[in-house]
Amino acid sequence: MIAHLFNAPLEESEPAVGVGTVGSSEAIMLAGLAFKRKWQNRMKNAGKSCDNPNIVTGANVQVCWEKFARYFEVELKEVKLSDGYYVLDPEKAVEMVDENTICVAAILGSTLNGEFEDVKRLNDLLIAKNSETGWETPIHVDAASGGFIAPFLYPELEWDFRLPLVKSINVSGHKYGLVYAGIGWVIWRSKEDLPDELIFHINYLGADQPTFTLNFSK
């Protein structure tokens, strides 16, 4: 349901790929791990070093992004905010992208003021840079606060999987109510965007259950 809401390019034969999480903090950790592993595999296949991954965000990101970077040894490159402009500047963000950037994170509903960042502009600028450099730098959208607002109030706004470089999106349920306490989700654009080696297959209750999670209490 959420993948369809976010316009994932799903065919009838292609099921949605995503997991329920403990809030958007765990969702962001999982999305970041998927980006890091995809980048590592790509660099290894090219015979290049994968020792210094980085992620580009605005300085307005929620603290869970800083936790991801510190816990999983990824350099956090923050775009500084300016007077009167309190969200990620797409031009400045793309300037900071290099070969070791695992993704650029945009926020749909900034922690500071609720503002939607310009994901469409970021996508277009990154497409141009990727075509020039041969890189494959993707985008993650932290839609924890805006993911269940934008599709209904601003259906024409392009911020989701309609943009080709958006590979994963997290969204909170607990910010809206009528859900289990603390629930969130992370959705991937396709199966290709979630490396198989991160998925575990368990058989506790008589059937195969694929799992990708940091919290095993559910």
Side-chain angles (χ1 to χ4, degrees):
M1 289 169 64
I2 300 172
H4 281 288
L5 183 66
F6 294 165
N7 295 292
L10 301 174
E11 300 176 359
E12 290 188 10
S13 59
E14 179 73 12
V17 181
V19 295
T21 62
V22 179
S24 279
S25 294
E26 184 188 14
I28 284 168
M29 301 288 170
L30 297 177
L33 282 173
F35 281 118
K36 183 179 180 182
R37 185 58 58 92
K38 288 276 289 186
W39 173 82
Q40 287 175 325
N41 291 342
R42 188 164 61 249
M43 296 295 279
K44 287 177 182 178
N45 290 337
K48 298 180 179 180
S49 170
C50 53
D51 294 334
N52 299 297
N54 68 70
I55 187 169
V56 176
T57 72
N60 56 314
V61 291
Q62 210 263 359
V63 69
C64 61
W65 285 100
E66 298 178 42
K67 287 183 178 180
F68 165 75
R70 192 177 302 177
Y71 292 170
F72 296 103
E73 299 182 321
V74 175
E75 179 189 1
L76 184 66
K77 298 170 72 172
E78 292 185 325
V79 179
K80 292 183 180 180
L81 308 183
S82 57
D83 188 25
Y85 196 88
Y86 305 117
V87 292
L88 177 76
D89 184 322
E91 280 79 5
K92 292 179 181 178
V94 173
E95 287 175 5
M96 295 177 73
V97 168
D98 60 29
E99 189 176 26
N100 294 326
T101 302
I102 64 173
C103 82
V104 180
I107 310 176
L108 202 74
S110 171
T111 306
L112 300 183
N113 61 4
E115 186 175 344
F116 291 177
E117 295 182 340
D118 192 346
V119 188
K120 176 75 163 61
R121 177 69 176 154
L122 177 63
N123 177 83
D124 294 346
L125 290 171
L126 264 182
I127 286 177
K129 185 156 189 172
N130 286 344
S131 65
E132 292 172 5
T133 60
W135 303 338
E136 299 178 23
T137 309
I139 295 171
H140 174 84
V141 178
D142 180 352
S145 297
F148 290 142
I149 294 175
F152 303 102
L153 294 187
Y154 313 106
E156 302 305 317
L157 182 67
E158 293 185 42
W159 63 273
D160 53 16
F161 293 122
R162 285 170 288 183
L163 302 175
L165 291 184
V166 174
K167 303 299 184 181
S168 55
I169 298 170
N170 68 279
V171 64
S172 293
H174 66 89
K175 291 182 174 67
Y176 301 90
L178 300 178
V179 297
Y180 292 112
I183 196 169
W185 297 273
V186 56
I187 310 296
W188 283 270
R189 181 184 191 86
S190 69
K191 285 183 176 181
E192 295 178 356
D193 298 304
L194 176 55
D196 286 338
E197 61 263 38
L198 294 178
I199 300 172
F200 288 82
H201 292 268
I202 58 176
N203 190 357
Y204 292 152
L205 300 174
D208 177 63
Q209 294 180 315
T211 178
F212 179 38
T213 178
L214 296 179
N215 186 297
F216 293 91
S217 65
K218 295 193 301 295

